[in-house]
């Protein structure tokens, strides 16, 4: 059975690499896999200084693009331009996600439910992934084995939900998981050898988790450690991993 081998990757796409886990994945890939070329996107120009520094340091192997993944035409323009530069993507990781923002706080109870916040959660956490899969289809060739992964969250596991709350984040990550599984089945039908994966990165010190870390009993990793964990999970995966929801340690998470 063919295995995904990080040592042989050439072209990588990281969506949402301005900061947090996406930035660390970009940096770790650049440092540890010297033959790969990385295309990355960021949206918020006020939070991408570290990525821009990396770009000047690795000018010959890193290209960053300003893309709003919620804007279909921005995403399409970017993927069309990418198709002119590369023929095959070996690894795609979507790191876009939101738990809180200026206008969003995770719901503690039904009293906090609002149409706007739920729609925003689903747009950012769920819908970017199938849009990307559609637009990247021409770059996911039948061979060699490639990976199309999105960062999900364990709280999106329906079986694991014993605490309640966080309606929008939980449900939008569950929907993301369904999209990932459905994309996996379509890859098989299309005879594209690409592993469609949902990955829980583990609790990680980033802007997304920062307000909730004081109270957590979970082990908290640095973004750098999380990037290494994610890449470890991907390395050596075989075709039977397609459509799975994987934890940062490589174990499978129940839907
Ligand atoms: N940190 C954790 O403990 C943890 C745990 C489980 C799962 N995750 C998942 O891991 C992924 C990465 O999160 P992170 O921890 O690295 O957080 P982060 O530093 O806040 O990064 C979030 C990413 O999502 C993008 N994003 C946020 N709001 C957006 C919007 N409205 N439109 C478009 N893009 C938007 C950000 O881009 P811009 O800033 O450029 O807009 C950034 O690239 C997320 O999917 C998250 O759910 C994280």
């Amino acid at each position: 059975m063919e295995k995904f081998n990080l040592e042989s990757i050439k072209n990588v796409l990281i969506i949402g690499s301005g900061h947090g886990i996406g930035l660390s994945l970009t940096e770790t890939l650049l440092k540890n896999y010297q033959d790969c070329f990385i295309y990355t996107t960021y949206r918020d120009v006020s939070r991408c200084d570290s990525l821009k520094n990396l770009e000047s340091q690795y000018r010959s192997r890193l290209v960053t693009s300003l893309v709003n993944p919620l804007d279909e035409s921005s995403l399409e323009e970017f993927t069309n331009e990418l198709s002119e530069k590369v023929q095959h993507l070996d690894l795609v990781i979507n790191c876009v996600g939101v738990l809180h923002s200026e206008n969003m706080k995770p719901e503690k109870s039904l009293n906090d439910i609002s149409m706007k916040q739920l729609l925003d959660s689903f747009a950012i956490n769920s819908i970017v992934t199938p849009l990307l899969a559609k637009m990247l289809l021409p770059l996911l060739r039948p061979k060699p084995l490639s990976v199309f992964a999105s960062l999900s969250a364990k709280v999106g596991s329906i079986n694991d939900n014993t605490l309640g709350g966080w309606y929008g984040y939980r449900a939008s990550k569950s929907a993301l998981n369904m999209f990932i599984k459905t994309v996996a089945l379509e890859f098989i039908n299309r005879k594209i050898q690409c592993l469609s994966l949902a990955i829980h990165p583990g609790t990680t010190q980033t802007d997304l988790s920062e307000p909730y870390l004081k109270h957590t009993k979970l082990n908290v990793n640095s973004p750098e450690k999380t990037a290494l964990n994610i890449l470890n999970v991907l390395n050596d995966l075989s075709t039977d991993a397609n459509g799975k929801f994987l934890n940062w340690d490589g174990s499978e998470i129940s839907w």
Side-chain angles (χ1 to χ4, degrees):
M1 205 181 289
E2 194 177 346
K3 294 209 165 176
F4 180 74
N5 180 0
L6 273 175
E7 296 295 340
S8 61
I9 55 171
K10 299 241 160 5
N11 295 310
V12 178
L13 172 62
I14 309 285
I15 302 288
S17 68
H19 47 92
I21 300 171
L23 175 68
S24 286
L25 275 167
T26 305
E27 185 163 14
T28 306
L29 282 161
L30 285 167
K31 284 186 178 153
N32 295 1
Y33 300 94
Q34 272 132 33
D35 290 335
C36 71
F37 195 101
I38 308 190
Y39 299 88
T40 67
T41 71
Y42 62 98
R43 179 197 61 129
D44 188 342
V45 285
S46 69
R47 300 169 78 197
C48 65
D49 288 356
S50 306
L51 180 66
K52 288 291 170 187
N53 287 341
L54 265 188
E55 192 176 28
S56 35
Q57 205 182 326
Y58 290 92
R59 213 166 275 286
S60 61
R61 294 175 50 219
L62 175 64
V63 171
T64 70
S65 304
L66 177 62
V67 177
N68 179 0
L70 302 192
D71 174 352
E72 273 184 87
S73 51
S74 167
L75 204 53
E76 195 162 20
E77 194 183 324
F78 168 73
T79 52
N80 286 343
E81 280 173 18
L82 191 59
S83 305
E84 286 164 17
K85 293 180 197 142
V86 293
Q87 299 219 312
H88 173 77
L89 285 171
D90 300 285
L91 172 61
V92 179
I93 308 182
N94 173 20
C95 302
V96 168
V98 70
L99 172 58
H100 63 91
S101 69
E102 241 172 68
N103 315 311
M104 182 188 285
K105 274 207 183 96
E107 307 88 350
K108 288 192 174 149
S109 82
L110 287 171
N111 296 334
D112 302 325
I113 290 287
S114 88
M115 177 73 86
K116 164 107 181 63
Q117 178 159 319
L118 287 177
L119 290 176
D120 285 349
S121 297
F122 276 80
I124 300 164
N125 291 327
S126 330
I127 297 170
V128 171
T129 284
L131 272 182
L132 256 184
K134 170 187 158 186
M135 292 177 193
L136 294 177
L137 270 177
L139 291 176
L140 303 170
R141 309 258 165 196
K143 275 182 178 226
L145 184 60
S146 54
V147 164
F148 175 85
S150 281
L151 298 188
S152 185
K154 198 174 177 193
V155 296
S157 161
I158 293 173
N159 286 338
D160 191 62
N161 184 2
T162 50
L163 284 176
W166 290 16
Y167 282 85
Y169 190 66
R170 283 182 189 281
S172 59
K173 291 294 190 183
S174 305
L176 166 66
N177 293 347
M178 179 57 96
F179 280 130
I180 281 290
K181 175 82 188 199
T182 308
V183 167
L185 295 170
E186 183 157 347
F187 283 165
I188 293 171
N189 289 341
R190 286 178 180 264
K191 304 205 176 350
I192 295 172
Q193 279 213 64
C194 182
L195 307 177
S196 171
L197 302 168
I199 298 181
H200 169 57
T203 308
T204 307
Q205 176 104 42
T206 63
D207 295 348
L208 180 140
S209 61
E210 198 275 329
Y212 313 97
L213 295 180
K214 262 182 276 165
H215 307 294
T216 188
K217 293 190 181 107
L218 300 168
N219 184 36
V220 181
N221 281 323
S222 66
E224 295 74 26
K225 177 74 173 86
T226 289
L228 284 171
N229 288 338
I230 292 170
L231 295 174
N232 262 339
V233 168
L234 298 182
N235 202 24
D236 252 11
L237 283 179
S238 49
T239 42
D240 59 4
N242 194 18
K244 289 197 170 160
F245 182 17
L246 297 175
N247 202 1
W248 60 269
D249 60 2
S251 59
E252 211 172 321
I253 302 178
S254 133
W255 298 115

